[in-house]
Amino acid sequence: MDQVIKAADLRAAGVPGYVIDLKCRPGGPWQRILPGVVLLGASPPTRAQRLQAALAYAGPEAVVTGVDALHAHGLHALPPPPRIHLLQPATTRRSCADHVLLERTTRPPKVVVESGLPVAEPTRAVLDAARHEPDPLRQHHLLATAVRSGMCTVTGLTRELDAGSKRGTATPRATLRLLSALLR
């Protein structure tokens, strides 16, 4: 698990809370990377460790989406965003941490396990990333890259947009119309 563990699991394994606190002090051999989540190392966490920590923090029903899910599916042409994007059931009330974007959903995606991570299927992951991308040019690049790679189709993306939340979909819809016209 890339040296990422919940503090509760350490305590359950017999490590006293004061030892965890002591080892997680500045300059110590461990660090807390999210509330209740410990990295058993002093080096800055890797992206993979941050993903594991985010999933441990969010709980067992959380699913990776957005660009990190696309990376897990093999689309590496997109730069990683500053925050890890996770979907969680609408009934969950976990709040966002610094480098994690937790989005509640009433429409859970189809989950695929890639590289040991529960990730949203590509079409949903692309649209989740696009809806949260504030820059229209980067949003266009994201959608065009996903279509060009063959990972998604314009028709499939449009169908998913129509089925999901309407929040943040104006620019992706315009981009998909443009891509559809260019591909004809």
Side-chain angles (χ1 to χ4, degrees):
M1 197 193 270
D2 291 323
Q3 297 180 306
V4 174
I5 190 166
K6 292 171 90 175
D9 292 341
L10 283 171
R11 286 190 297 276
V15 180
Y18 77 90
V19 171
I20 297 169
D21 292 340
L22 184 67
K23 288 182 179 268
C24 288
R25 286 186 179 162
W30 296 352
Q31 58 187 299
R32 291 185 198 278
I33 51 178
L34 285 169
V37 183
V38 174
L39 175 63
L40 303 177
S43 300
T46 64
R47 188 72 181 190
Q49 289 169 330
R50 289 178 59 205
L51 272 165
Q52 290 291 342
L55 286 166
Y57 172 75
E61 294 180 306
V63 177
V64 178
T65 192
V67 174
D68 286 301
L70 295 172
H71 286 181
H73 286 296
L75 184 62
H76 299 285
L78 302 167
R83 297 194 301 170
I84 292 167
H85 191 171
L86 299 180
L87 297 174
Q88 62 183 350
T91 55
T92 304
R93 297 286 183 217
R94 178 74 66 181
S95 62
C96 289
D98 290 341
H99 68 269
V100 179
L101 169 61
L102 288 174
E103 183 177 4
R104 293 195 319 259
T105 182
T106 56
R107 259 184 82 250
K110 180 180 176 223
V111 177
V112 179
V113 176
E114 295 284 350
S115 305
L117 299 172
V119 297
E121 54 85 21
T123 302
R124 175 69 180 267
V126 167
L127 291 175
D128 285 340
R131 286 187 311 104
H132 288 280
E133 175 53 64
D135 184 317
L137 289 176
R138 284 199 305 253
Q139 193 178 82
H140 177 84
H141 173 70
L142 170 81
L143 292 166
T145 300
V147 170
R148 221 177 17 254
S149 74
M151 188 171 281
C152 302
T153 65
V154 171
T155 303
L157 289 166
T158 303
R159 207 175 297 127
E160 178 66 27
L161 262 182
D162 291 340
S165 168
K166 305 305 179 231
R167 189 178 66 231
T169 63
T171 304
R173 284 180 194 284
T175 299
L176 289 173
R177 281 193 297 274
L178 176 64
L179 286 173
S180 180
L182 290 172
L183 293 172
R184 284 187 201 146

